[in-house]
Amino acid sequence: MKKHIALLPGDGIGPEIMAAAKKVITAISEREQIQLTTSEHDIGGSAIDNHGAPLPESTINACEQSDAILLGAVGGPKWADSTLRPEQGLLQIRKHFNLYANLRPVAIFDALLHASPLKESIVTNSDLMIVRELTGGLYFGQPSERRDGGNSVVDSLTYTRQEMVRIIDTAFKTALARSKKLTSVDKANVLESSRMWREIVEEVSQNYPEVDVHHELVDAAAMKLITNPTSFDVIVTENLFGDILSDEASVITGSLGVLPSASLNENDFGLYEPIHGSAPDIAGTNKANPIGMILSVAMMLKYSFGLHEPAKNIEDAVDRVLNDGYVTTDLKIEDATVLSTTEMTEKIISYLK
Ligand code: IPM
Ligand code: MN
């Protein structure tokens, strides 16, 4: 098997964790008789600096020529006042490739039970999957502008039926492959878009009689997510709710730094990225946790290339490294050995089979 991966390191800690991903990709290629080649391209703030645009044509072209995209992180204080925003690069690439299905698994690592600020009794056995709609809603709705000389403002929450159906269908399929339990999160007591969402969930559920589906209002879901996380398995929700709930859910695992994600289109072409941001405060210090990035490589192998064994190999290596008491600075665990980004990466590679 031969696959090409476009690497988009981005800003802040992006380049450091991308270097980690590259080492893991090389290690997997050597072990598994698969030829994985890579090329690096600019996105976000670094692309604004080098090309005058957060998502240059050259990056789009390179991604179009690739079998998958791996992304580090975008954004930082350097571009806070710039009219071109690094985050636009991320939103544009999601839209360009129609990556509407964002899968964000949140599973507790046994070794990190004490790293969570939540009680061990609450987080034990947490294992959920957030299915977030990624190319619609408030993130993309028009108009989105200041009005009346800056005295009023509008953002638009728009969805078509088809946009709702396809993500809800992905969620039912995801639930079928897991414990057949789906929670749809909305704000149907206030928003018309949520009432339509709820209707469509009911319609699509007719095709999946085996899946047990519940509706939950987003405010209540936000509370339940950290008071009773094991009551959830698959969660499906629109773009902005999914953004907020997935950061909240990361608290369960003790660190945003360990969580991967996949963003897929209808052909399973995908962009893979850790859910944490560019962490400009620790950029360049070799302190970033590479695990979210490395687990994103595992998701890529699984979802885009169907390489389930090599993906499992990476996940198991991460699990065993944590079990053996190695962490990065973001994980506060007593008696653990704190490693740098590069040391953690080498450690994980040394645990690969
Ligand atoms: C995420 C991020 C992005 C989002 C930002 C950087 C635009 O927070 O991937 O969750 O809001 O989608
Ligand atoms: Mn986010």
Side-chain angles (χ1 to χ4, degrees):
M1 182 188 271
K2 220 172 147 176
K3 298 285 179 192
H4 186 78
I5 307 155
L7 307 180
L8 316 182
D11 312 316
I13 58 170
E16 292 160 71
I17 55 169
M18 189 57 80
K22 231 172 131 173
K23 286 186 198 159
V24 171
I25 289 169
T26 307
I28 287 290
S29 305
E30 284 162 1
R31 278 171 181 71
E32 310 274 353
Q33 309 295 316
I34 38 184
Q35 207 182 323
L36 300 174
T37 54
T38 60
S39 55
E40 287 194 29
H41 312 278
D42 286 326
I43 192 167
S46 57
I48 293 174
D49 292 350
N50 297 337
H51 309 262
L55 182 65
E57 276 294 314
S58 54
T59 297
I60 297 181
N61 291 337
C63 292
E64 280 175 347
Q65 309 293 315
S66 304
D67 298 299
I69 306 168
L70 211 53
L71 188 139
V74 297
K78 183 174 173 198
W79 304 279
D81 300 321
S82 121
T83 41
L84 291 171
R85 300 198 52 90
E87 291 79 6
Q88 287 164 351
L90 187 53
L91 301 184
Q92 285 167 12
I93 200 168
R94 288 172 179 172
K95 198 71 175 175
H96 181 88
F97 289 100
N98 204 14
L99 305 170
Y100 63 86
N102 184 214
L103 307 180
R104 298 188 161 187
V106 181
I108 186 90
F109 291 92
D110 289 341
L112 300 187
L113 278 174
H114 308 288
S116 175
L118 300 176
K119 289 197 187 92
E120 194 176 322
S121 59
I122 288 178
V123 297
T124 303
N125 294 327
S126 297
D127 183 357
L128 52 99
M129 174 74 92
I130 297 179
V131 179
R132 169 186 173 195
E133 200 292 323
L134 203 60
T135 53
L138 277 166
Y139 276 63
F140 295 94
Q142 291 299 330
S144 170
E145 64 196 18
R146 300 286 171 99
R147 291 181 172 175
D148 309 326
N151 288 312
S152 72
V153 65
V154 59
D155 283 306
S156 306
L157 203 178
T158 58
Y159 271 111
T160 63
R161 157 173 288 276
Q162 179 248 354
E163 285 174 318
M164 289 187 181
V165 168
R166 64 185 184 182
I167 188 68
I168 289 165
D169 195 70
T170 299
F172 272 99
K173 290 204 168 79
T174 308
L176 259 192
R178 291 174 53 108
S179 69
K180 302 187 174 57
K181 194 172 160 219
L182 177 63
T183 307
S184 169
V185 172
D186 63 35
K187 188 69 184 170
N189 54 347
V190 178
L191 300 176
E192 197 53 42
S193 55
S194 284
R195 286 190 279 272
M196 177 162 159
W197 177 277
R198 210 175 258 225
E199 276 166 35
I200 293 180
V201 170
E202 286 301 317
E203 278 171 38
V204 177
S205 76
Q206 304 300 310
N207 304 331
Y208 299 91
E210 315 90 313
V211 176
D212 189 15
V213 58
H214 297 272
H215 303 278
E216 192 91 62
L217 295 172
V218 63
D219 48 356
M223 183 183 69
K224 238 170 116 177
L225 200 51
I226 47 171
T227 51
N228 192 7
T230 53
S231 67
F232 294 100
D233 190 58
V234 179
I235 295 174
V236 64
T237 191
E238 64 88 49
N239 203 345
L240 183 63
F241 296 160
D243 178 49
I244 298 167
L245 292 182
S246 57
D247 267 34
E248 190 197 7
S250 75
V251 170
I252 298 167
T253 59
S255 172
L256 205 53
V258 297
L259 295 179
S261 78
S263 306
L264 307 171
N265 69 17
E266 66 284 359
N267 305 317
D268 286 341
F269 178 76
L271 179 152
Y272 301 82
E273 57 175 325
I275 80 160
H276 61 69
S278 60
D281 52 322
I282 57 162
T285 62
N286 201 19
K287 280 189 185 152
N289 188 339
I291 292 179
M293 182 86 247
I294 289 172
L295 291 176
S296 298
V297 172
M299 284 190 95
M300 174 185 74
L301 297 177
K302 198 160 33 179
Y303 287 91
S304 279
F305 306 156
L307 295 168
H308 294 267
E309 284 301 312
K312 184 89 179 24
N313 190 358
I314 296 174
E315 288 163 1
D316 288 349
V318 168
D319 221 25
R320 285 184 291 121
V321 164
L322 292 171
N323 276 330
D324 285 351
Y326 298 104
V327 294
T328 42
T329 50
D330 52 313
L331 293 164
K332 308 278 176 263
I333 296 192
E334 239 178 277
D335 299 330
T337 310
V338 178
L339 304 181
S340 66
T341 310
T342 44
E343 286 166 343
M344 179 54 102
T345 306
E346 295 304 339
K347 187 60 85 183
I348 292 169
I349 290 172
S350 75
Y351 275 55
L352 288 174
K353 294 217 171 78

